[in-house]
Amino acid sequence: MAKLPIFLVGILLICSVSALADDMKYKDPKQPLNVRIKDLMDRMTFEEKVGQMVQIDRSVATKEVLNKYLIGSVLSGGGSLPSKQASAETWVNMVNDFQEGALSTRLGIPIIYGIDAVHGHNNVYKATIFPHNVGLGATRDPELVKRIGAATALEVRATGIQYAFAPCIAVCRDPRWGRCYESYSEDPLVVKAMTEIIPGLQGDIPANSPKGVPFVAGNKNIAACAKHFVGDGGTTKGINENNTVIDRHGLLSIHMPGYYASIIKGVSTVMVSYSSWNGLKMHANRELITGFLKNRLRFRGFVISDWQGIDRITYPEHSNYSFSVEAGVNAGIDMIMVPYNYTEFIDLLTSKVNDQIIPMSRIDDAVRRILRVKFVMGLFENPLADTSLVNHLGSQEHRELAREAVRKSLVLLKNGESADEPLLPLPKKAPKILVAGTHADNLGYQCGGWTIEWQGLSGNDLTSGTTVLTAIKNTVDPTTEVIYQEAPDSDFVKSNDFSYAIVVIGEHPYAETNGDNLNLTIPEPGRTTLENVCGAVKCVVVVISGRPVVIQPYIAAMDALVSASLPGSEGQGVADVLFGDYGFTGKLSRTWFKTVDQLPMNVGDPHYDPLFPYGFGLTTNPTKAT
C-alpha cells in the first residue's frame, strides 16, 4: 500500500480533529442551549445520568468519589468547612480539587457546589454577615436587598462556590416557628417584593428571556434557590417540618406569590420543603412539584430536595428508604441532597428504573434541568475558580452596605412616655452612661443562627464584626464614660448616677427545629437586667431576636424600645440610629403579639389585637446635635 504524502496526513489529522470538535456540540458555547443539552444527553450512559442527580456533602467527597460515582453536585452543610477559619484561598482550592475529579470523568461534566449563604456568606470566616431576612423585611427596601444579593454573590464566588441555597421566601405565619427569622414577612406581598434579591444574586434577566428559564449573568454571580416549596411558614403552631393545614386558595394566595416572582426573575433552582400540605409530605407531592411548579408555572430550572429530605417522607425517617426514593423522584425532585448515603441512593434509584417503577423519562427530565442550569451558568466554559475575587470577602464596601441594612431594619416601637418627650435620639455627650444586657457585647448573639455554624455561636471570636457595645463606644463623645456590665443589680445602677442606660437583650442563637418555641420569652438574665436597669434610670431597650417576643409586662418600665431583629456583623448600624446620625425608618414585617395565647395572629385576622400592629414603626429625624 502506497504511503500518503506527509502534507496529506497532516490535512487528514486536522480534518479529523476538527470533525471531532464539531461533533462535541455540548462543549461549544456558540451552540444554542437546547442543542448543547441534547448533544450531551445523547452521549450519557444511564450511570452518568443518575450521578448528575446526586448531591453529597464535602465531608464525604473526594476527587476519586466524584470520578467513580459521576456525582453532579457537592455542598457544604451548615458549618461544613474545609478547616476552622479557612481563608478564601483554602475554599477555592478545595472546590477546585473536587471539580478536577468531575472534569476527569469521560464527559467532563462539571459539578455545581452549593452552600447556605442565607444572610451573606455566613459559613465563612470574615465574610460580611447581613441582617437576617426578618430584619430586611422591616426595611421595605427591595433595591437594598438586591444590592445585598450582589454583594453576597461576590463573596460566595470569592471562595470558588457558584450556588447558594437562598433566598428563603417562606411566609412565616406563626413566630413560634424556629425558622421565622428566615422569612421576610407574614405578608406575602413583602416576601414577593424581596425576591429582588434573586437578580442581585444571579444578575438581571435579559428582557427577551423566556419565562421560567434560569439565568446567571456570569462568574461574579451565582445560582439562587427559592425555598422551601411550599407552605413551610404555615405549619400548625409553627412546628418545624410539620403540617400546613390550609385550602388550595390559601396556599396559592399566601405561600405561592414569592415563587411566581422568583420564576419570572429566572431563579435557577427551587428547594422542596420538609413540611406537609394537608397531611401529604411536600417531598412526595407530585401534583405541586410536577403539576404546578413545572407544568403550570413552566419552571425550567431544577428542583432540589432539602438535606436528607426524601428520608423524611417516612416516619421514622429512612425507615422505608426504597419507598422514599420512588416517591421523591416520581414527585419531580431532580437533584437529591443525600449528604452521606449516596451509594444506597444510587443503587436504589438504579433498581427502580430497571424495574420500571421510575420511568426513564423522569430521569431524563431531571438531568436535562440540571444540565440547563450548568450550561446557563457557564460552568462548562469556566469550571475552575481562581483567587481574583478574594478581596471581596468581608470587604469594607460590603460592610458599609450591611451597616446601611442594619440602620434601615431597626424598628422604633416606643420613644418616651409621649411624643413631646422622646428619649431618642440619645445625646452623644453625657457624663456617664450604662450599657447592659447579654447581647450588648456578643457578636454571635447579634448574628444568630446560620453563622459559622448551623446553630450559630456565642462570643466575639467567631468572625469579624462590630458589637453594639463597641459601636456605642465608637459613637459617643470622647469625654463620655461608658460603663458596661452584662447583668447589673439595681443597687449598682442606682448608685452610679448614670445619665441613661442602653439595655441590649434577646434570644440566644438557634436554627430550624432547635428554634421552635411555644412561650417566646426572653431568656434570663435578660428580663431581670431589664427590670433592674429600667427601674432605676432612663433606659432604651434594644431587643435582638428572630421574631417578636414577650415584652408586654415590661413596656411600662422602658423609656424607649427598639426591635433590632438579628442585625449581623455590623453593630455600628445600631449606634448610627440610636444616637441620631440617621433616623429610624423601619416598619414591623411581623405583627407583635401581646401574649402567645393569641398565636397564630396575622394582619387581617378576625381576632387581630396586637401589641404593635404589622407595619408599625415610629420615626425620628437625624440630628447633628450632641
Side-chain angles (χ1 to χ4, degrees):
M1 184 177 174
K3 288 186 178 179
L4 288 169
I6 293 294
F7 77 92
L8 280 179
V9 173
I11 290 170
L12 285 171
L13 281 172
I14 291 167
C15 288
S16 63
V17 170
S18 176
L20 189 65
D22 288 342
D23 195 38
M24 305 279 275
K25 291 179 181 177
Y26 79 93
K27 291 191 173 182
D28 181 1
K30 294 177 183 175
Q31 293 288 336
L33 176 59
N34 287 334
V35 170
R36 298 182 77 185
I37 294 169
K38 183 178 186 307
D39 180 66
L40 179 50
M41 288 194 64
D42 286 347
R43 299 170 189 277
M44 294 174 74
T45 64
F46 173 65
E47 291 73 21
E48 286 166 332
K49 289 178 179 179
V50 168
Q52 284 301 300
M53 297 174 66
V54 180
Q55 184 181 65
I56 63 174
D57 188 73
R58 56 150 292 282
S59 60
V60 297
T62 63
K63 268 184 180 177
E64 293 71 30
V65 166
L66 268 65
N67 181 286
K68 179 178 179 181
Y69 294 98
L70 307 158
I71 300 294
S73 183
V74 178
L75 85 151
S76 277
S80 184
L81 319 171
S83 59
K84 188 175 171 63
Q85 299 186 352
S87 66
E89 291 87 351
T90 300
W91 280 94
V92 167
N93 292 336
M94 177 193 70
V95 175
N96 280 349
D97 191 57
F98 294 144
Q99 192 67 277
E100 286 165 3
L103 297 176
S104 68
T105 56
R106 183 179 73 92
L107 294 170
I109 304 173
I111 57 161
I112 181 172
Y113 196 106
I115 197 165
D116 285 283
V118 299
H119 63 137
H121 200 8
N122 46 264
N123 279 285
V124 176
Y125 184 59
K126 290 190 175 178
T128 309
I129 308 297
F130 293 94
H132 268 296
N133 287 355
V134 64
L136 296 181
T139 70
R140 300 294 200 279
D141 190 342
E143 188 273 336
L144 169 69
V145 170
K146 181 178 181 179
R147 286 188 283 138
I148 288 171
T152 300
L154 275 174
E155 297 208 12
V156 171
R157 281 286 192 172
T159 57
I161 296 170
Q162 326 98 342
Y163 176 29
F165 305 123
C168 178
I169 54 172
V171 182
C172 174
R173 304 291 283 179
D174 193 324
R176 293 174 291 187
W177 186 36
R179 304 194 79 150
C180 201
Y181 65 78
E182 297 184 57
S183 167
Y184 292 107
S185 179
E186 71 188 46
D187 182 352
L189 294 180
V190 171
V191 174
K192 185 178 179 181
M194 293 305 176
T195 60
E196 198 60 14
I197 195 171
I198 291 168
L201 293 164
Q202 297 192 155
D204 286 306
I205 192 165
N208 60 350
S209 183
K211 179 188 171 188
V213 174
F215 175 78
V216 179
N219 61 8
K220 292 183 179 178
N221 296 95
I222 59 175
C225 179
K227 67 183 192 183
H228 308 84
F229 186 83
V230 58
D232 49 343
T235 58
T236 302
K237 294 186 179 179
I239 297 169
N240 192 42
E241 305 183 20
N242 204 2
N243 190 23
T244 297
V245 180
I246 194 170
D247 63 19
R248 187 179 181 86
H249 172 75
L251 186 80
L252 298 188
S253 61
I254 294 172
H255 298 284
M256 198 68 80
Y259 291 95
Y260 303 146
S262 298
I263 291 165
I264 289 168
K265 291 171 183 179
V267 73
S268 295
T269 73
V270 170
M271 183 182 289
V272 182
S273 177
Y274 286 130
S275 58
S276 303
W277 176 42
N278 295 336
L280 176 61
K281 286 282 188 180
M282 278 304 311
H283 274 73
N285 195 319
R286 179 176 169 81
E287 179 205 348
L288 285 176
I289 297 171
T290 297
F292 195 82
L293 179 64
K294 290 183 173 182
N295 295 343
R296 178 84 178 273
L297 300 186
R298 297 188 59 78
F299 172 63
R300 292 291 175 264
F302 68 78
V303 176
I304 186 168
S305 81
D306 207 332
W307 177 277
Q308 295 177 331
I310 63 167
D311 302 49
R312 303 187 199 186
I313 290 173
T314 60
Y315 183 81
E317 65 181 74
H318 204 80
S319 59
N320 188 346
Y321 196 54
S322 175
F323 169 75
S324 295
V325 171
E326 174 186 334
V329 174
N330 274 338
I333 302 173
D334 304 310
M335 183 177 282
I336 317 296
M337 197 185 291
V338 279
Y340 309 124
N341 62 327
Y342 55 92
T343 55
E344 181 187 14
F345 172 77
I346 289 169
D347 291 345
L348 276 170
L349 181 57
T350 300
S351 69
K352 294 285 182 184
V353 177
N354 288 339
D355 294 342
Q356 299 184 334
I357 295 169
I358 296 175
M360 193 62 207
S361 59
R362 176 73 274 277
I363 304 301
D364 285 341
D365 172 58
V367 176
R368 190 176 296 113
R369 291 167 177 276
I370 292 163
L371 294 179
R372 182 177 291 123
V373 171
K374 290 183 177 185
F375 280 124
V376 161
M377 293 176 69
L379 276 180
F380 283 81
E381 289 69 57
N382 296 293
L384 296 171
D386 58 37
T387 56
S388 63
L389 299 175
V390 295
N391 290 336
H392 288 288
L393 187 74
S395 69
Q396 190 57 39
E397 180 184 357
H398 292 171
R399 292 188 183 279
E400 288 299 325
L401 175 61
R403 182 175 171 181
E404 176 190 348
V406 173
R407 291 195 294 261
K408 291 179 175 178
S409 70
L410 301 178
V411 182
L412 181 57
L413 299 175
K414 180 180 180 180
N415 191 15
E417 289 306 317
S418 70
D420 298 329
E421 297 180 7
L423 179 63
L424 298 172
L426 296 167
K428 293 179 183 176
K429 197 166 187 176
K432 184 163 61 171
I433 66 173
L434 173 65
V435 179
T438 48
H439 289 54
D441 192 33
N442 195 313
L443 190 62
Y445 284 5
Q446 204 170 288
C447 292
W450 289 111
T451 308
I452 303 301
E453 293 187 5
W454 176 40
Q455 292 295 327
L457 294 162
S458 175
N460 293 332
D461 59 352
L462 68 161
T463 191
S464 298
T466 304
T467 67
V468 174
L469 174 64
T470 300
I472 291 167
K473 290 178 176 178
N474 290 343
T475 305
V476 295
D477 190 87
T479 63
T480 297
E481 186 181 2
V482 178
I483 305 294
Y484 169 63
Q485 195 163 113
E486 184 176 312
D489 60 34
S490 56
D491 290 340
F492 174 83
V493 181
K494 289 172 183 173
S495 63
N496 265 280
D497 195 26
F498 293 112
S499 304
Y500 57 82
I502 302 170
V503 180
V504 191
I505 55 177
E507 294 186 296
H508 297 156
Y510 55 82
E512 300 191 41
T513 304
N514 284 7
D516 288 356
N517 187 328
L518 294 179
N519 61 55
L520 296 178
T521 54
I522 296 170
E524 288 290 12
R527 301 190 300 275
T528 301
T529 301
L530 186 159
E531 290 169 340
N532 288 345
V533 175
C534 294
V537 66
K538 277 192 175 181
C539 76
V540 53
V541 175
V542 179
V543 177
I544 290 179
S545 65
R547 52 198 164 188
V549 289
V550 175
I551 56 168
Q552 187 186 33
Y554 317 106
I555 283 188
M558 308 172 192
D559 295 283
L561 173 62
V562 176
S563 170
S565 296
L566 293 167
S569 60
E570 305 314 302
Q572 192 64 49
V574 177
D576 286 344
V577 183
L578 287 179
F579 292 96
D581 292 330
Y582 294 82
F584 279 93
T585 58
K587 304 295 179 186
L588 285 179
S589 58
R590 299 207 48 77
T591 297
W592 205 297
F593 57 85
K594 292 176 180 176
T595 71
V596 291
D597 296 335
Q598 296 174 295
L599 299 176
M601 179 176 66
N602 295 281
V603 63
D605 287 349
H607 66 291
Y608 198 68
D609 181 28
L611 181 61
F612 298 108
Y614 165 81
F616 182 80
L618 303 173
T619 57
T620 59
N621 294 317
T623 174
K624 294 182 180 178
T626 56

